[in-house]
Amino acid sequence: MEIFKNEIKLSDREKLEEFIGGFPHETSGMSFSSIYMWSREYTYRYEIIDDFLCMAGLGNFKGEEEEPFLFPVLPRGGKCDKDRLAAVLENLIGRFRKEGKPFVMRLIPAKLREIYEAALPERFIFIDDRSNYDYLYRVSDLAELKGKAFHGKKNHLNRFNCEYGSSCEVVPMSSALTEEALDLVKRINDGKEVSRCERILLEGESLMLEKALPDFEKIGLEGVALRIGGKLQGFAFGGPLGKDTIVEHVEKANIAYNGIYQKLNNEFCRSLGDRYEFVNREEDMGLEGLRKSKNSYRPVRLIEKCIALLDGDEEAMERYGKPY
């Protein structure tokens, strides 16, 4: 089922950026590049209702059947009229009821939670969504790796440079590398032993890359790739979020080369120069190994997110958790 009718297209980028870039929500999943790249896998659709961007998708976040969910509702240009927002939220609640589905809004940062509570007091309950917290870093920290906190990362980087530096070439990531990048992803994924849940995530990522990479430049992405002995063995890329942040969406590398992830992350951040102050490296999806890795890079802070349900919806609370 679909709550809204409009697909996310590349031609929508300028129009959607009026909303996405107009409010400082900081959440990686609400950058245009992220929304566009994942729109096919999660059936993202949108409508603009009374100058508010309303988006929805389908997800099976608990491993059950797919259910519709809303993205945070965003005002045009960042200016939010409380009464108009209240009317839009009631409209959306009505659409979910019409379909017989529980009202669920995901990826809500603290600033927007306060706004929604003020617009419709005592209508929502909020569930902490720790698995979707974003990790925010200073670009300069990851580009320079200075000090005791990054001593271990610097050692891995030095080891890589010592062993493979003479045969490693750093090149800009681009659509021209699509075929090589997809081949690398297949090689990496085929060699992994992972849980069923992680396998589903990897398969979804592969489908996303098949869609995104041919339109790399049109989406507004940038990044780096590593060739070792002439063959592509790693790549990383991201897209802008607001004026001072880039979201690193993808980082894939062949771990047969010791230190390659440290090299890839370092080169990605070095390539950004002073054009961005922060890099958002997205969420850990509740995966213990990924959480440990992201924390090891010393984030300056986590961008907290929550889920909004309707107060009194016991079925939804049973599925998504208890309020906090």
Side-chain angles (χ1 to χ4, degrees):
M1 59 161 289
E2 297 174 3
I3 300 294
F4 306 123
K5 60 183 180 180
N6 301 311
E7 296 182 6
I8 310 293
K9 300 178 181 178
L10 274 175
S11 57
D12 295 325
R13 182 180 174 185
E14 184 176 351
K15 175 170 58 177
L16 297 184
E17 282 287 7
E18 288 188 65
F19 301 88
I20 295 168
F23 189 91
H25 53 79
E26 298 186 298
T27 57
S28 63
M30 294 172 64
S31 63
F32 175 79
S33 49
S34 177
I35 291 166
Y36 175 75
M37 290 191 302
W38 289 104
S39 62
R40 181 176 62 184
E41 278 58 60
Y42 293 111
T43 321
Y44 294 162
R45 300 288 186 269
Y46 80 95
E47 287 182 27
I48 295 172
I49 304 174
D50 196 16
D51 263 359
F52 286 87
L53 174 62
C54 304
M55 293 187 294
L58 294 174
N60 58 342
F61 298 96
K62 295 294 183 179
E64 302 169 10
E65 66 177 287
E66 289 189 324
E67 293 281 0
F69 69 95
L70 284 169
F71 282 86
V73 176
L74 294 176
R76 187 192 301 273
K79 298 179 181 179
C80 189
D81 181 275
K82 184 172 69 174
D83 293 334
R84 287 167 55 204
L85 173 60
V88 170
L89 291 172
E90 292 286 12
N91 179 319
L92 300 177
I93 291 168
R95 293 191 187 205
F96 275 76
R97 283 178 173 161
K98 183 179 178 181
E99 297 292 340
K101 298 294 184 180
F103 176 91
V104 179
M105 187 187 298
R106 302 185 66 93
L107 306 181
I108 304 171
K111 293 177 183 178
L112 282 169
R113 172 183 173 169
E114 295 170 2
I115 290 172
Y116 300 152
E117 286 182 305
L120 290 181
E122 300 181 1
R123 289 297 301 281
F124 300 118
I125 59 170
F126 295 91
I127 311 296
D128 184 45
D129 194 10
R130 175 62 182 86
S131 295
N132 277 302
Y133 284 17
D134 283 334
Y135 291 74
L136 193 71
Y137 310 81
R138 285 192 178 84
V139 170
S140 58
D141 285 346
L142 303 192
E144 298 169 5
L145 296 177
K146 289 182 178 179
K148 185 180 294 185
F150 294 103
H151 182 70
K153 301 298 182 186
K154 194 65 175 284
N155 282 344
H156 283 294
L157 176 62
N158 289 339
R159 180 178 178 182
F160 178 93
N161 287 334
C162 180
E163 292 189 25
Y164 312 111
S166 62
S167 61
C168 180
E169 179 187 11
V170 182
V171 298
M173 187 60 189
S174 71
S175 57
L177 299 179
T178 295
E179 186 175 342
E180 291 176 88
L182 293 177
D183 175 69
L184 172 62
V185 170
K186 186 176 187 308
R187 285 189 280 124
I188 293 171
N189 292 349
D190 286 350
K192 283 186 174 181
E193 292 185 13
V194 296
S195 67
R196 177 179 175 274
C197 178
E198 288 182 74
R199 179 62 61 188
I200 291 171
L201 293 171
L202 290 173
E203 290 172 354
E205 181 186 59
S206 295
L207 291 171
M208 177 273 288
L209 290 169
E210 289 176 8
K211 173 186 177 179
L213 289 177
D215 289 320
F216 191 87
E217 292 79 13
K218 294 178 183 177
I219 298 170
L221 300 170
E222 57 181 295
V224 297
L226 303 180
R227 292 187 187 281
I228 302 176
K231 188 170 185 177
L232 194 73
Q233 300 292 357
F235 65 92
F237 67 80
L241 177 64
K243 295 179 180 180
D244 64 356
T245 301
I246 186 169
V247 179
E248 186 183 21
H249 296 305
V250 174
E251 203 176 75
K252 303 292 284 188
N254 183 350
I255 59 171
Y257 297 91
N258 293 321
I260 191 169
Y261 270 105
Q262 287 77 18
K263 176 69 171 178
L264 188 57
N265 181 264
N266 180 250
E267 291 294 347
F268 174 74
C269 290
R270 281 162 51 90
S271 75
L272 302 175
D274 59 0
R275 290 178 291 116
Y276 301 98
E277 183 176 0
F278 300 105
V279 54
N280 181 322
R281 300 190 69 212
E282 301 191 328
E283 65 286 319
D284 60 42
M285 299 176 289
L287 301 174
E288 184 177 349
L290 195 54
R291 181 170 297 182
K292 182 178 179 180
S293 174
K294 289 182 184 288
N295 277 315
S296 73
Y297 275 97
R298 308 291 193 249
V300 294
R301 65 186 174 94
L302 301 184
I303 297 170
E304 299 181 6
K305 304 176 200 173
C306 62
I307 302 168
L309 309 174
L310 289 179
D311 192 11
D313 190 338
E314 296 295 334
E315 182 180 347
M317 275 192 283
E318 185 67 27
R319 181 173 182 183
Y320 288 95
K322 300 299 182 183
Y324 71 105

